[in-house]
Amino acid sequence: NLSSVAWFGIAVYRKYSSGSRYPNISLSAPLPGIPKPVFASVDGHEQCETKITTLENGLKVASQNKFGQFCTVGILVNSGSRHETKYPSGIAHFLEKLAFSSTAQYGSKDEILLTLEKHGGICDCQTSRDTTMYAVSAEVKGLDTVVSLLSDAVLQPRLLDEEIEMTRMAVRFELEDLNMRPDPEPLLTEMIHAAAYRGNTVGLPRFCPVDNVEKIDKKLLHTYLRSYYCPERMVLAGVGIEHEQLVACARKYLLDVKPVWGASTPTNVDLSVAQYTGGIVRMDKDMSDVSLGPTPIPELTHIMIGLESCSFLEEDFIPFAVLNMMMGGGGSFSAGGPGKGMFTRLYLNVLNRHHWMYNATSYHHSYEDSGLLCIHASADPRQVREMVEIITREFIQMAGTAGEMELARAKTQLKSMLMMNLESRPVIFEDVGRQVLATGKRKLPHELCDLISNITASDIKRVTTKMLRSKPAVAALGDLTEMPSYEHIQAALSSKDGRLPRMYRLFR
């Protein structure tokens, strides 16, 4: 045990430091008589390389071996709210809530959870604007059961009337919660996408609108699933298992399976390319009672301003990721050191200089055909105009030459965040699945780090100059009495200093 090891160390130190046998022994030199250590080795230059196999029906199987007792396996489908142009909005939201309900093989959700429990497993489903992801984390020895369950959950859901009715209740509750929560981030993200891509693709609502809750039924869901849930649009991804084992399970449970809705017809797939429009979405809302209690949050107005960036398939995606990290920011109560972004521009130039601002954070949303870089800011309703001008000035200053130290810091921080996130098995699973679904291959972490290292100040300046040519997208929530007009925000982003046009009032 530890104490005996400690006493052994002390005894050795006393023996050799007394000068009896080895008077000049160094603490950094190995102790004499200790056997040479034998380290585990891996075959090949990189054992963690992602392996990809395409089955006869078009389904891709991607895996990465990671030593351990548990694995994360899931099915990713190229289907999300952006594909609902021909349908009532909200189908993807419904499917997320209906996931892992009763199937042809399992009578209820409880039965599925009990089956997973035998293998120490948990399941989850998440939908985004462009991807639906069904995932299970469980013991490696339960892989056969896990893939069988995933196949059943994705291709053989019963979609019973009572399940759909329960989903309607869950969706209504989530919509109410969305409008009442103190953190308006999800709502603002919805609004900025609606403003940036008005009425098309990624601008379509991710959450089911209240008016559509009653319209979505089993027949409509089957029509949608028939178009989008086909093998060519799916990836079975796994982390922590042998590739051959996963391929064998995929052949067994996903190769010749007929879905419950019949043969898939991918001819009805919506292939529209995202059309960036710019614009403004305003929502006047009383925010005075959002957070009541002993320490209530003061009434705030939230503004989000965005400009078109680029697709994650373009080379400019990496400079935009570095730029987003360089802007950084956060809330006025974010305590911590450099790792929390205290040296980012939105901290140094905004939160440190304007104590009345409660938030200034940069976000980067990227899709396979477009992207959006935006800044969210919040302050007292009486200071909205000044807050908007501060944010527009920050956008204009992005086009200046980045300092050598801040660029190096942003690149190091981005690489650090990337590597730290990829320590987690579920994150590796999502990274493998999304990359293979979008591109058919995967860039490994060390390749991404090399790309980040090669970014220069001129790259940042180039992508920013291009971004500033696009029309702004604006989302505004709260008391908007002092909110400048969209035309004034557009004029500020077209000016040299980012200042709003002056307004003169006879009476205040």
Side-chain angles (χ1 to χ4, degrees):
N1 62 19
L2 187 62
S3 59
S4 61
V5 171
W7 281 113
F8 172 75
I10 292 166
V12 168
Y13 175 74
R14 282 177 181 164
K15 181 178 178 182
Y16 293 135
S17 61
S18 62
S20 57
R21 290 177 62 191
Y22 299 97
N24 298 320
I25 192 161
S26 166
L27 292 175
S28 60
L31 289 169
I34 301 290
K36 191 177 179 181
V38 179
F39 296 105
S41 61
V42 292
D43 299 326
H45 65 96
E46 183 143 28
Q47 187 71 11
C48 65
E49 191 175 349
T50 306
K51 295 178 180 176
I52 302 163
T53 301
T54 305
L55 301 187
E56 291 81 351
N57 61 356
L59 178 103
K60 291 185 180 69
V61 182
S63 77
Q64 181 166 315
N65 205 350
K66 188 176 172 67
F67 303 104
Q69 190 182 346
F70 281 79
C71 64
T72 300
V73 183
I75 293 175
L76 291 92
V77 190
N78 189 358
S79 146
S81 58
R82 71 169 293 162
H83 300 109
E84 293 172 358
T85 312
K86 302 173 187 174
Y87 303 89
S89 294
I91 291 177
H93 190 193
F94 257 69
L95 289 171
E96 179 185 85
K97 297 283 173 253
L98 280 163
F100 297 105
S101 296
S102 66
T103 68
Q105 192 178 333
Y106 300 94
S108 67
K109 190 164 194 164
D110 288 345
E111 208 173 307
I112 288 175
L113 295 175
L114 282 168
T115 304
L116 284 174
E117 203 174 289
K118 291 172 188 171
H119 300 285
I122 53 168
C123 62
D124 187 28
C125 177
Q126 290 179 5
T127 58
S128 61
R129 296 179 190 281
D130 52 5
T131 312
T132 302
M133 184 170 65
Y134 298 79
V136 171
S137 283
E139 285 180 321
V140 177
K141 60 187 179 186
L143 180 67
D144 195 80
T145 306
V146 165
V147 177
S148 166
L149 191 151
L150 280 165
S151 169
D152 225 41
V154 175
L155 300 174
Q156 306 286 334
R158 283 186 182 172
L159 305 180
L160 302 173
D161 290 342
E162 56 263 35
E163 289 172 346
I164 291 174
E165 195 52 51
M166 287 290 287
T167 301
R168 288 195 180 113
M169 290 169 63
V171 167
R172 284 196 198 97
F173 175 79
E174 195 167 336
L175 293 174
E176 283 177 28
D177 180 59
L178 198 66
N179 287 304
M180 289 168 61
R181 60 197 297 177
D183 172 28
E185 202 57 54
L187 192 57
L188 279 166
T189 303
E190 279 291 285
M191 290 166 69
I192 196 83
H193 279 83
Y197 305 92
R198 194 169 288 276
N200 76 90
T201 57
V202 292
L204 298 173
R206 194 174 82 77
F207 299 100
C208 180
V210 179
D211 299 342
N212 292 352
V213 173
E214 290 298 327
K215 293 178 186 174
I216 296 171
D217 56 15
K218 184 175 180 176
K219 185 182 176 184
L220 184 66
L221 290 169
H222 273 190
T223 309
Y224 177 87
L225 291 164
R226 196 174 294 117
S227 295
Y228 290 99
Y229 277 46
C230 45
E232 309 94 280
R233 300 177 64 84
M234 289 184 186
V235 169
L236 174 68
V239 175
I241 45 14
E242 294 285 345
H243 186 70
E244 291 72 23
Q245 201 180 347
L246 188 63
V247 171
C249 288
R251 288 187 183 282
K252 187 175 174 183
Y253 297 111
L254 290 160
L255 191 54
D256 296 314
V257 180
K258 190 180 178 185
V260 71
W261 48 83
S264 294
T265 52
T267 46
N268 296 327
V269 169
D270 178 40
L271 299 172
S272 306
V273 176
Q275 302 296 316
Y276 182 87
T277 59
I280 185 167
V281 172
R282 297 167 57 107
M283 188 187 288
D284 283 282
K285 188 180 176 189
D286 180 12
M287 306 285 279
S288 57
D289 59 349
V290 164
S291 174
L292 301 172
T295 54
I297 295 173
E299 183 182 354
L300 299 173
T301 295
H302 300 269
I303 307 292
M304 197 179 263
I305 300 173
L307 294 169
E308 188 179 19
S309 60
C310 75
S311 148
F312 58 67
L313 299 174
E314 295 176 47
E315 287 183 2
D316 284 348
F317 173 68
I318 301 291
F320 270 116
V322 174
L323 174 65
N324 180 53
M325 190 57 74
M326 197 187 297
M327 298 308 295
S332 57
F333 296 109
S334 292
K340 292 290 288 286
M342 288 296 185
F343 286 99
T344 58
R345 285 192 186 180
L346 291 179
Y347 260 111
L348 294 174
N349 301 349
V350 179
L351 294 169
N352 285 355
R353 295 183 186 179
H354 308 282
H355 61 89
W356 44 270
M357 282 187 69
Y358 277 78
N359 195 342
T361 314
S362 174
Y363 295 94
H364 188 215
H365 306 279
S366 196
Y367 306 96
E368 63 182 359
D369 46 12
S370 186
L372 188 65
L373 187 114
C374 42
I375 295 176
H376 166 214
S378 53
D380 186 279
R382 291 164 297 183
Q383 291 169 304
V384 169
R385 186 177 175 83
E386 192 178 347
M387 173 174 71
V388 169
E389 188 170 75
I390 288 164
I391 298 307
T392 53
R393 281 211 305 264
E394 284 303 311
F395 268 114
I396 295 297
Q397 284 168 16
M398 284 183 198
T401 305
E404 193 178 321
M405 189 179 286
E406 71 166 343
L407 180 61
R409 183 184 283 120
K411 292 198 293 188
T412 304
Q413 208 168 334
L414 181 59
K415 285 188 280 189
S416 167
M417 192 178 76
L418 173 74
M419 299 309 287
M420 200 158 58
N421 286 338
L422 289 171
E423 290 282 318
S424 163
R425 191 182 60 251
V427 175
I428 300 172
F429 155 77
E430 190 172 343
D431 182 48
V432 169
R434 282 183 180 276
Q435 284 202 52
V436 173
L437 192 65
T439 65
K441 55 184 186 290
R442 182 189 180 218
K443 275 187 178 145
L444 294 170
H446 69 86
E447 295 176 71
L448 292 169
C449 286
D450 290 343
L451 290 170
I452 293 166
S453 298
N454 294 334
I455 298 303
T456 62
S458 62
D459 291 326
I460 303 291
K461 191 170 184 175
R462 175 176 51 79
V463 298
T464 307
T465 306
K466 181 184 171 186
M467 177 180 71
L468 285 166
R469 294 192 196 115
S470 62
K471 282 178 68 177
V474 182
L477 175 70
D479 179 350
L480 306 177
T481 314
E482 295 292 317
M483 175 75 183
S485 67
Y486 178 76
E487 291 71 26
H488 279 194
I489 295 171
Q490 196 171 357
L493 287 166
S494 305
S495 67
K496 287 183 179 178
D497 56 3
R499 290 184 179 276
L500 290 164
R502 295 299 98 191
M503 287 178 66
Y504 301 100
R505 298 180 186 175
L506 288 172
F507 305 101
R508 283 192 176 273

